[in-house]
Amino acid sequence: MKKLAVVGAQWGDEGKGKVVNYFSRDFEWIVRFSGGANAGHTIYVGDKKYVNHLLPSINPVIDSKGFLGAGMVIDVGQLVEELKILERDFPGISSRFYLDPEAFIVLPWHKEEDLLLEKMRKVPIGTTGRGIGPAYTDKASREGLKLFVLFDEALLRERLEAIYHMKRSKYNRDFAVSIEEMLVYLQGFRAELERLSVNFTSAVDMYRVFRSTSVLFEGAQGVLLDLDFGTYPFVTSGACMAHGVSSVGFSTFELDGVYGVLKAYTTRVGAGPFPTEESSGVGDLLRERGKEFGATTGRARRIGWLDLPALRYAKIRSGLTGLVITKGDVLNGLDEVKICVAYDVDGVVKELPSTSYDFFRAKPIYETASGWPVTDHVNFLKYMTFIERETGVEIDYISYGPKTEEMKTSNDLIMNI
Ligand code: GDP
Ligand code: IMO
Ligand code: MG
């Protein structure tokens, strides 16, 4: 039974939601294994758009199920909100979602702390303000709150008191929500989740089920935002690469493939190095054409040309076995398209960054490709072939629009030309 991971090969927002939603027809389970509501994964059901922040991008009209794994940090308020949006159009859909009780909770305190820390930083990261960093910090420093505490009132109170005590001592201030209010808040959302018939089931209990069926793992963010190997410290706090499937009890050896999703150009939200950035001119044009505004925060995304050294790095770091390219249609009609083929790092030409530090010092070295009027054109095929040759990974699928069905295989493309 097929097991496939789909991860972002750049700095996030590559179109993972759309790609997962397209593949979801062939999978019984769609599993999110990391991150939280910092993600914004856009899917379409017919003409209607939905943005999933926490929920796996299952296809609501097909009977697949979604699992939220232990590597995630879950804002229960946001979760209920997302479920309610889907429930309006697809009654009963909530019972198709399963939460691992080992996953951590993002509290309003974490969101407050996130904003506070950003103000304190000399160079802010430009976080999404969704409490991700503080929630993962609490997890690592043993102050976190796992979902299972929602079912034990005494334990919940004890844990909340402990966390509040730590935060108050650390920041020497009160937080907006008191312990009592937090208790009521969490109990309310637990009741909502039960009313919506969401399942609480651990990956241990799912062990056999997952192995006897098809599973699609939906990555969040992108390799270059990964806590370990992204452009640190301008990264998120979770795992963005395929190895994150270990939090759902899987080894990457069990995967039949790891698809890296890449845009035909590059975007990034928030601060940090971005070697191929075009801060005006063509950057503005592509932002407008590609509707490049964050699905979570609405912030304007930074825009740049395709960056092959970054892609080669992503391939090696995340063990990509195939690529899916999105948004080639946004470049339609340009006379020329630039591609960064190597970096000049302090006078040394590098096709592959050795460490994430190289991204901070890189000056892009470009080649120019002929543009294409539509993606069904020989010049787009040449662009793809160039990417494949330069990265050593095949592009198996091409997305040419935001809608689920606007997707074809590279063989379809060759046949159409
Ligand atoms: P994700 O975070 O990787 O799931 O990506 P986002 O949903 O944050 O951002 C991708 C944006 O591009 C969304 O608005 C999608 O609807 C849109 N999109 C995805 N694929 C394509 C494509 O091939 N062409 C165009 N024009 N838009 C696309
Ligand atoms: P999806 O899954 C793009 C960025 C933020 C910020 C940095 C840290 O939709 O691709 P955080 O709130 O995680 O502490 O912010 O990471 N970031 C994303 N950028 N897409 C995302 O998710 C992102 N999730 C976080 O903009 O620079
Ligand atoms: Mg996104």
Side-chain angles (χ1 to χ4, degrees):
M1 283 291 186
K2 203 164 178 182
K3 312 283 184 285
L4 187 71
V6 171
V7 299
Q10 296 161 318
W11 276 278
D13 301 330
E14 300 88 349
K16 298 174 293 294
K18 183 248 160 90
V19 171
V20 167
N21 190 235
Y22 174 84
F23 287 147
S24 67
R25 66 194 69 191
D26 297 325
F27 289 85
E28 187 94 4
W29 285 90
I30 315 298
V31 174
R32 272 279 305 269
F33 54 88
S34 67
N38 48 349
H41 294 181
T42 313
I43 66 165
Y44 277 83
V45 182
D47 285 337
K48 189 155 180 192
K49 176 172 145 175
Y50 298 87
V51 181
N52 296 319
H53 299 286
L54 288 163
L55 292 175
S57 301
I58 69 168
N59 186 332
V61 292
I62 297 176
D63 194 22
S64 56
K65 299 184 205 60
F67 188 79
L68 288 80
M72 290 186 72
V73 286
I74 296 175
D75 174 343
V76 282
Q78 169 66 35
L79 181 65
V80 167
E81 204 172 296
E82 265 173 62
L83 288 165
K84 282 184 175 165
I85 290 171
L86 286 185
E87 278 288 333
R88 258 179 247 141
D89 294 342
F90 311 99
I93 194 170
S94 302
S95 64
R96 286 160 54 190
F97 290 104
Y98 291 63
L99 307 178
D100 193 326
E102 297 279 8
F104 283 81
I105 300 173
V106 176
L107 299 166
W109 290 335
H110 291 127
K111 290 193 251 183
E112 213 179 322
E113 201 179 348
D114 198 354
L115 303 179
L116 212 61
L117 286 168
E118 280 287 82
K119 281 199 199 114
M120 287 159 69
R121 285 188 181 112
K122 202 166 167 201
V123 183
I125 295 167
T127 71
T128 58
R130 298 297 187 108
I132 305 301
Y136 276 117
T137 302
D138 278 359
K139 168 180 173 171
S141 67
R142 279 78 42 94
E143 266 92 50
L145 209 65
K146 290 197 176 206
L147 277 178
F148 62 69
V149 298
L150 293 180
F151 297 94
D152 182 334
E153 193 179 331
L155 183 62
L156 177 58
R157 181 181 285 279
E158 185 190 312
R159 300 292 305 135
L160 284 176
E161 280 169 1
I163 296 169
Y164 194 77
H165 170 74
M166 288 297 290
K167 293 211 181 302
R168 221 163 147 227
S169 318
K170 211 150 93 180
Y171 294 101
N172 196 23
R173 76 200 284 276
D174 284 325
F175 278 70
V177 183
S178 70
I179 296 175
E180 285 309 317
E181 285 166 336
M182 194 68 87
L183 252 172
V184 173
Y185 168 89
L186 289 175
Q187 281 166 338
F189 285 121
R190 193 204 73 192
E192 281 277 12
L193 291 172
E194 282 177 332
R195 192 185 61 73
L196 288 163
S197 303
V198 173
N199 309 275
F200 286 82
T201 312
S202 82
V204 174
D205 290 334
M206 294 301 290
Y207 183 84
R208 282 179 203 287
V209 176
F210 280 155
R211 271 145 191 93
S212 64
T213 185
S214 48
V215 184
L216 177 56
F217 294 96
E218 175 176 359
Q221 290 80 50
V223 174
L224 294 156
L225 284 173
D226 181 75
L227 177 63
D228 286 316
F229 300 115
T231 47
Y232 192 92
F234 301 100
V235 293
T236 187
S237 302
C240 305
M241 310 194 297
H243 74 250
V245 301
S246 63
S247 74
V248 193
F250 275 84
S251 151
T252 46
F253 292 118
E254 292 176 87
L255 301 176
D256 296 297
V258 179
Y259 274 131
V261 184
L262 75 141
K263 270 180 193 164
Y265 47 100
T266 311
T267 63
R268 161 159 217 176
V269 199
F274 186 175
T276 64
E277 182 167 18
E278 291 284 327
S279 7
S280 57
V282 76
D284 293 336
L285 177 75
L286 298 185
R287 180 177 307 107
E288 193 187 317
R289 279 204 200 169
K291 302 190 175 63
E292 296 293 358
F293 296 90
T296 298
T297 58
R299 288 179 292 176
R301 293 175 180 149
R302 297 160 66 193
I303 314 281
W305 295 111
L306 185 66
D307 183 336
L308 291 176
L311 200 54
R312 294 184 192 109
Y313 179 85
K315 169 202 161 180
I316 290 176
R317 281 297 185 197
S318 201
L320 307 180
T321 60
L323 296 173
V324 181
I325 191 165
T326 65
K327 302 192 101 162
D329 55 292
V330 174
L331 302 177
N332 285 354
L334 295 186
D335 291 338
E336 291 184 332
V337 174
K338 289 209 298 189
I339 313 171
C340 171
V341 292
Y343 290 159
D344 175 332
V345 181
D346 295 340
V348 179
V349 174
K350 287 192 167 191
E351 290 188 349
L352 176 67
S354 314
T355 67
S356 53
Y357 182 42
D358 282 347
F359 291 101
F360 289 79
R361 295 169 297 154
K363 291 191 189 68
I365 299 171
Y366 287 111
E367 286 194 13
T368 304
S370 302
W372 48 88
V374 287
T375 50
D376 275 347
H377 189 272
V378 67
N379 286 352
F380 185 64
L381 183 61
K382 281 186 188 163
Y383 186 69
M384 281 183 26
T385 312
F386 186 74
I387 297 169
E388 291 180 329
R389 200 178 62 228
E390 291 287 319
T391 58
V393 201
E394 281 184 21
I395 299 176
D396 295 316
Y397 288 87
I398 298 133
S399 164
Y400 54 94
K403 304 278 177 63
T404 313
E405 296 309 322
E406 291 173 314
M407 181 88 123
K408 61 179 131 208
T409 63
S410 39
N411 283 340
D412 293 337
L413 178 73
I414 293 164
M415 302 281 277
N416 288 351
I417 289 172

